[in-house]
C-alpha cells in the first residue's frame, strides 16, 4: 500500500512510501529518515492527525486501520539527546558543585573562611549529598533501563539549571562559616532516616529494572519483592519518589536549613506531577491494577 507522509506542523508532503500492512511505526520511521535525513527516528513523532496522539513504535499499519492512499503525519521533535547523557550531566553537576562549596571558596565566602572550624553536621551533610548523587550516577550507568532512548536537547539545559543552581543555593548556606548545627539527636535522627530512604530508593529502582527484560519496552504492574523495603509498592505506584522526598526531608531536618527544605518541596511538587501521571497510566493500561494504591503519598495522594 502507498502511504503519504506529511509534516504535522504545516501538512507539507514529505513523500509517499510503499509499505506492507505489517510495517511497524518503528520501521516506518527508518523509511521517513530515508526521505528526509534530518528526521532521524528518535526525532520523529508519528500521528494519524496533525495534532493527534503519538503512535507507539510497535503499532502496525494494519492495526491502525490504514489503507492504500492513507496519510500519516510526522512531527519534528527537534534535536535530541540521550537520556543517559542528560542524567549523567544532571547528577555530576550537583556532586561537583556541592563539594566545591564544601571547601568554602573565597569567591563566595571571602578570605579567611577556611580558617573557621567546620561543624560535625557540615561534614555529615557533605557525605550525604555525595552519597545521594554518586548513587544516582551509578544507577544511571548500571541500573536504569530507559523506555525512550532520547529526549529534547533543551531539557539538558533546563534540568541542569534546576539541579545545579539549587545545589549552589543549599550548599552556600550549609557550608557557610556562620552556619549553626542543630542538636546531635536531630542530626543523627535525620541521618538515619536519610540512609534508610536512600536504601529504599535503590531497592525500588532495582525492582523496577527487573520488571523490564533487557532491550525491551515491556511494561508490567510493579509489585513488592522479597526485599522488605519494596513493600511500599502495596501502598503507592511510585515509591521511588516517596523515598526520594523522604531523603530530602531527612536532609532538611538533619541540617535545619531552609534552602534544603525548599529544595525538598520543589522536588516533591514535580515528583507528585510525575507520580499522578504514571498512576493514571497504570490504571488505564492494566485493568487489574490495584485500586487501593495512591500515587506517591500512602492513603493521601
Amino acid at each position: 500500500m502507498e502511504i503519504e507522509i506529511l509534516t504535522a506542523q504545516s501538512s507539507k508532503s514529505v513523500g509517499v512510501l510503499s509499505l506492507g500492512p505489517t510495517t511497524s511505526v518503528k520501521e516506518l520511521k527508518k523509511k521517513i529518515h530515508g526521505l528526509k535525513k534530518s528526521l532521524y527516528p528518535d526525532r520523529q513523532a508519528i500521528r494519524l492527525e496533525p495534532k493527534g496522539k503519538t503512535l507507539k513504535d510497535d503499532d502496525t499499519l494494519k492495526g491502525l486501520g490504514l489503507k492504500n492512499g492513507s496519510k500519516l503525519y510526522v512531527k519534528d521533535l527537534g534535536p535530541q539527546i540521550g537520556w543517559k547523557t542528560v542524567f549523567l550531566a544532571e547528577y555530576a553537576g550537583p556532586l561537583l558543585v556541592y563539594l566545591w562549596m564544601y571547601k568554602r571558596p573565597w569567591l563566595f565566602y571571602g578570605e579567611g573562611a577556611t580558617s573557621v572550624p567546620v561543624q560535625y553536621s557540615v561534614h555529615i551533610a557533605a557525605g550525604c549529598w555525595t552519597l545521594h548523587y554518586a548513587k544516582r550516577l551509578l544507577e544511571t550507568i548500571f541500573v536504569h533501563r530507559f523506555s525512550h532512548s532520547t529526549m529534547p536537547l533543551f531539557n539538558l539545559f533546563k534540568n541542569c539549571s534546576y539541579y545545579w543552581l539549587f545545589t549552589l543555593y543549599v550548599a552556600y548556606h550549609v557550608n557557610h562559616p556562620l552556619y549553626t548545627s542543630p542538636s546531635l539527636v536531630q542530626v543523627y535522627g535525620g541521618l538515619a532516616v536519610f540512609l534508610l530512604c536512600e536504601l529504599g530508593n535503590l531497592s525500588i529502582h532495582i525492582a523496577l529494572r527487573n520488571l523490564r527484560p533487557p532491550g525491551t519496552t515491556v511494561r508490567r504492574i510493579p509489585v513488592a519483592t522479597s526485599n522488605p523495603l519494596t513493600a511500599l509498592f502495596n501502598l503507592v505506584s511510585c515509591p521511588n519518589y516517596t523515598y526520594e522526598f523522604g531523603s530530602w526531608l531527612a536532609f532538611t531536618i538533619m541540617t535545619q536549613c531552609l534552602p534544603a527544605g525548599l529544595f525538598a518541596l520543589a522536588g516533591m511538587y514535580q515528583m507528585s506531577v510525575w507520580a499522578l501521571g504514571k498512576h493514571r497510566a497504570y490504571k488505564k493500561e492494566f485493568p487489574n491494577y490495584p485500586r487501593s494504591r495512591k500515587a506517591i503519598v500512602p492513603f493521601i495522594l
Side-chain angles (χ1 to χ4, degrees):
M1 69 177 75
E2 292 191 341
I3 303 293
E4 184 176 11
I5 308 299
L6 303 97
T7 61
Q9 291 88 338
S10 61
S11 295
K12 181 180 178 181
S13 180
V14 176
V16 177
L17 293 171
S18 295
L19 307 166
T22 60
T23 300
S24 67
V25 170
K26 184 176 182 179
E27 295 168 331
L28 173 63
K29 289 179 178 180
K30 294 178 181 178
K31 294 184 178 295
I32 293 175
H33 182 219
L35 294 175
K36 192 170 183 180
K37 294 300 181 183
S38 63
L39 286 176
Y40 49 88
D42 286 329
R43 189 167 174 162
Q44 301 175 35
I46 309 299
R47 300 171 175 177
L48 294 174
E49 300 293 337
K51 296 184 179 180
K53 183 180 178 181
T54 298
L55 302 178
K56 298 178 181 178
D57 279 352
D58 55 358
D59 286 335
T60 64
L61 301 187
K62 182 179 180 181
L64 294 169
L66 297 176
K67 301 177 181 178
N68 186 51
S70 294
K71 297 179 180 180
L72 282 174
Y73 297 85
V74 55
K75 180 180 179 181
D76 184 355
L77 298 175
Q80 300 289 297
I81 187 171
W83 273 90
K84 182 172 288 189
T85 302
V86 174
F87 277 19
L88 291 175
E90 282 181 10
Y91 304 148
L95 181 58
L96 296 175
V97 169
Y98 196 98
L99 291 178
W100 177 47
M101 296 298 290
Y102 176 59
K103 295 295 184 180
R104 292 180 177 172
W106 65 266
L107 180 64
F108 288 93
Y109 300 119
E111 297 291 345
T114 55
S115 63
V116 178
V118 180
Q119 300 190 47
Y120 62 92
S121 60
V122 174
H123 295 306
I124 293 174
C128 288
W129 196 279
T130 301
L131 172 67
H132 178 82
Y133 282 101
K135 179 180 77 70
R136 281 196 164 190
L137 288 169
L138 293 172
E139 286 175 340
T140 299
I141 298 171
F142 299 110
V143 177
H144 293 320
R145 288 179 181 150
F146 302 101
S147 55
H148 300 286
S149 57
T150 65
M151 66 193 301
L153 178 61
F154 172 74
N155 286 8
L156 173 66
F157 306 101
K158 180 181 68 175
N159 294 8
C160 285
S161 295
Y162 169 80
Y163 281 105
W164 295 23
L165 292 176
F166 240 130
T167 296
L168 187 63
Y169 182 42
V170 175
Y172 173 81
H173 287 81
V174 175
N175 295 290
H176 200 286
L178 298 179
Y179 170 77
T180 301
S181 176
S183 69
L184 276 173
V185 172
Q186 186 171 328
V187 171
Y188 286 112
L191 175 61
V193 175
F194 179 88
L195 294 175
L196 178 64
C197 288
E198 288 293 296
L199 186 57
N201 182 265
L202 174 62
S203 299
I204 297 300
H205 285 161
I206 292 174
L208 290 172
R209 176 186 185 274
N210 293 336
L211 281 176
R212 177 176 295 158
T216 71
T217 57
V218 172
R219 287 170 59 83
R220 299 171 181 163
I221 297 177
V223 294
T225 68
S226 58
N227 182 341
L229 291 175
T230 65
L232 203 53
F233 270 126
N234 297 323
L235 301 176
V236 295
S237 295
C238 301
N240 51 319
Y241 295 152
T242 310
Y243 279 125
E244 178 85 4
F245 174 67
S247 290
W248 292 120
L249 179 61
F251 186 88
T252 301
I253 294 171
M254 181 178 64
T255 59
Q256 198 168 290
C257 176
L258 177 60
L262 295 176
F263 180 55
L265 290 175
M268 182 59 176
Y269 170 78
Q270 182 59 73
M271 289 187 291
S272 295
V273 173
W274 292 335
L276 288 168
K278 289 185 177 183
H279 186 63
R280 286 192 295 268
Y282 280 142
K283 291 195 294 184
K284 183 177 180 180
E285 185 174 0
F286 303 110
N288 59 333
Y289 192 74
R291 297 295 165 176
S292 60
R293 287 187 189 178
K294 294 297 183 180
I296 185 171
V297 181
F299 313 113
I300 300 174
L301 181 64

